[in-house]
Amino acid sequence: MKRYLASQLLISLLLLISFSVSASRFLRSENDTRRNLLTNGVGRTPPMGWNSWNHFWCGINETIVRETADALVSTGLSKLGYEYVNLDDCWAELNRDSEGNFVARKSTFPSGIKALADYVHSKGLKLGIYSSAGYKTCTQTQPGSLGYEERDAMTFASWGIDYLKYDNCFFDGTKPIVRYPKMTRALMKTGRPIFYSLCEWGDMHPALWGDRVGNSWRNTMDIVDNWDSMVSRADANEVYAEYARPGGWNDPDMLEIGNGGMTNDEYIVHFSIWAISKAPLIIGCDLRSASNETLAILGNKEVIDVNQDPLGVQAKKVRMIGDCEVWAAPLTGYRMAVLFVNRALFAYGIPAHWDDLGLPQDTVVQVRDLWKHETLKKTYKNKFEPTIASHACKMFVLTPIS
Ligand code: GLA
């Protein structure tokens, strides 16, 4: 009997120990996302720049990246705030060196990443890089950083990297909330302020924990250069509007403007929704040969100003009527950005009521059209109802005047 009791006691003790070990592990990983691990001070407004993936996929090299940096300056886009020049997948050799360090791909980046960073910095711009919270990146052509977080973060910092996009391919079965904070800590340890862009595709609702871990979080799978893909990413991202704030932004993926799959009006919708949604404005076309139409969209300062407004509040849809919708976001100075989008096949008049916008009744507003660059002659009270063409939008700033 005594022996039986002793063995029962031992079993209970062992169960208790293993339960507390796993509970403390669980709580530790929970704590990882409850505490603010990232205090790097960057991303007070949504990041602006360029990334190689949407246009070039794996076909990048140092010449393209240098010429893109040149183009950001010569087109005037850098003056408007586009500062990050970001490498995506395919910049590294498949194998690390004998010490376990990343090696730049010799055939396409023969001068190395440090030299590229120096060049980009000499233009007054910043260099971004890409890795994955897994064993390989998504193209399987280079290693990921899982298990190498500190080493890789130190390498990136020593090269002068300013932005890290961190993908989610080929991992060990653990959840993003376990893998992504490891890189947060590693980046913080370098002491270099590096914008940290989480790219786990919205799998584990990163908006709910991303602001403690990164400066932005992708809420969607990859965008494709067509209307349906673009608006579906916008919709998925809008759901999480309340989680965006200076230092941490919802990310509906990068821009397709200039890649040829949408009409000019549709690209204007794309840019307007991204801007009012406080999304990262990361250009995804070949800037070296961008058309005037493309540059006019990407370079619309009045729309960029909405994106970069210091209040940092992401727009929500405040009214929907069938395929027509009104998006609105407050701006500094009691102003309001309002975007009317028509997804239907015919033109429609779409109303915004002051109730929708949170404006007090009888407030009189002045209306600035951000795409026509003109202030409307008429002032408006209680309701504003422009007509919008099919697959197009109009974007305004409303300023109360009495
Ligand atoms: C994933 C990401 C993309 C891109 C590719 C590169 O699909 O979501 O944005 O970075 O990997 O392989």
Side-chain angles (χ1 to χ4, degrees):
M1 186 65 180
K2 259 191 196 158
R3 205 180 276 167
Y4 173 75
L5 280 178
S7 70
Q8 285 302 304
L9 202 67
L10 190 66
I11 289 169
S12 314
L13 203 66
L14 286 174
L15 280 173
L16 191 70
I17 291 171
S18 83
F19 174 76
S20 10
V21 167
S22 57
S24 78
R25 257 200 218 127
F26 174 74
L27 287 175
R28 235 190 358 251
S29 67
E30 279 283 294
N31 280 346
D32 278 349
T33 54
R34 262 187 231 152
R35 273 186 304 126
N36 190 6
L37 300 175
L38 190 72
T39 48
N40 60 6
V42 297
R44 303 309 296 168
T45 58
M48 295 174 64
W50 172 90
N51 171 292
S52 53
W53 184 254
N54 282 359
H55 185 86
F56 293 97
W57 292 46
C58 240
I60 46 166
N61 58 53
E62 61 184 39
T63 309
I64 292 175
V65 180
R66 279 170 186 246
E67 289 177 357
T68 299
D70 296 346
L72 276 169
V73 176
S74 64
T75 54
L77 290 175
S78 62
K79 281 222 176 73
L80 293 172
Y82 293 94
E83 58 175 349
Y84 291 107
V85 179
N86 292 349
L87 306 175
D88 208 281
D89 209 343
C90 309
W91 61 268
E93 290 287 350
L94 180 57
N95 295 314
R96 292 171 178 271
D97 70 12
S98 55
E99 286 168 8
N101 296 314
F102 259 125
V103 181
R105 200 166 289 186
K106 292 195 183 71
S107 56
T108 45
F109 290 87
S111 318
I113 305 299
K114 169 94 177 63
L116 193 58
D118 290 347
Y119 183 79
V120 166
H121 291 155
S122 78
K123 299 254 146 192
L125 301 169
K126 295 178 170 163
L127 188 70
I129 210 156
Y130 163 96
S131 188
S132 178
Y135 298 120
K136 281 186 192 164
T137 60
C138 299
T139 56
Q140 304 189 50
T141 63
Q142 68 181 64
S145 293
L146 190 61
Y148 289 83
E149 290 85 356
E150 288 201 5
R151 180 177 288 273
D152 291 350
M154 288 309 283
T155 303
F156 298 153
S158 74
W159 287 341
I161 293 295
D162 305 293
Y163 186 117
L164 172 66
K165 172 175 168 182
Y166 206 43
D167 217 335
N168 197 25
C169 283
F170 301 105
F171 53 87
D172 57 359
T174 57
K175 290 184 176 161
I177 53 168
V178 175
R179 284 173 287 120
Y180 281 74
K182 289 189 179 142
M183 184 51 91
T184 315
R185 285 211 182 80
L187 290 172
M188 287 299 290
K189 219 168 161 183
T190 68
R192 186 175 173 85
I194 296 179
F195 187 101
Y196 185 25
S197 155
L198 318 179
C199 178
E200 61 85 276
W201 317 314
D203 279 4
M204 297 300 293
H205 309 295
L208 307 185
W209 48 270
D211 68 333
R212 276 86 84 198
V213 176
N215 298 111
S216 67
W217 44 89
R218 266 268 294 277
N219 284 324
T220 68
M221 289 306 289
D222 294 10
I223 193 169
V224 181
D225 186 17
N226 65 55
W227 171 261
D228 286 342
S229 169
M230 184 274 288
V231 290
S232 72
R233 269 60 183 169
D235 290 342
N237 195 59
E238 190 260 356
V239 174
Y240 296 105
E242 272 163 30
Y243 295 92
R245 55 152 182 80
W249 308 102
N250 285 305
D251 177 3
D253 206 357
M254 302 172 292
L255 300 170
E256 291 283 8
I257 297 152
N259 282 332
M262 290 182 241
T263 66
N264 204 56
D265 275 352
E266 290 174 340
Y267 278 144
I268 289 175
V269 175
H270 183 8
F271 196 65
S272 302
I273 296 183
W274 262 239
I276 203 169
S277 302
K278 304 295 187 288
L281 297 181
I282 306 293
I283 298 168
C285 67
D286 185 352
L287 261 187
R288 302 167 308 165
S289 55
S291 68
N292 289 339
E293 287 78 15
T294 295
L295 293 176
I297 297 173
L298 298 171
N300 185 331
K301 183 172 177 333
E302 296 197 70
V303 174
I304 293 171
D305 285 348
V306 168
N307 179 259
Q308 297 290 303
D309 185 79
L311 205 56
V313 177
Q314 179 174 332
K316 289 184 191 161
K317 288 184 216 181
V318 294
R319 179 176 288 263
M320 284 192 67
I321 308 172
D323 283 332
C324 298
E325 50 203 36
V326 185
W327 298 61
L331 301 172
T332 45
Y334 301 103
R335 296 166 308 138
M336 183 70 63
V338 188
L339 173 66
F340 298 84
V341 179
N342 181 1
R343 300 185 180 194
L345 295 176
F346 302 98
Y348 280 104
I350 315 172
H353 295 265
W354 275 203
D355 269 357
D356 304 333
L357 306 177
L359 283 174
Q361 282 307 302
D362 296 334
T363 305
V364 178
V365 301
Q366 194 175 59
V367 177
R368 174 85 182 161
D369 185 324
L370 305 188
W371 285 105
K372 282 197 177 154
H373 303 295
E374 66 183 29
T375 303
L376 307 196
K377 290 208 179 73
K378 236 182 110 187
T379 56
Y380 290 83
K381 196 163 93 172
N382 296 340
K383 182 178 154 186
F384 177 54
E385 184 168 1
T387 300
I388 316 294
S390 161
H391 281 212
C393 71
K394 286 185 181 169
M395 188 169 179
F396 303 93
V397 168
L398 274 43
T399 306
I401 48 173
S402 66

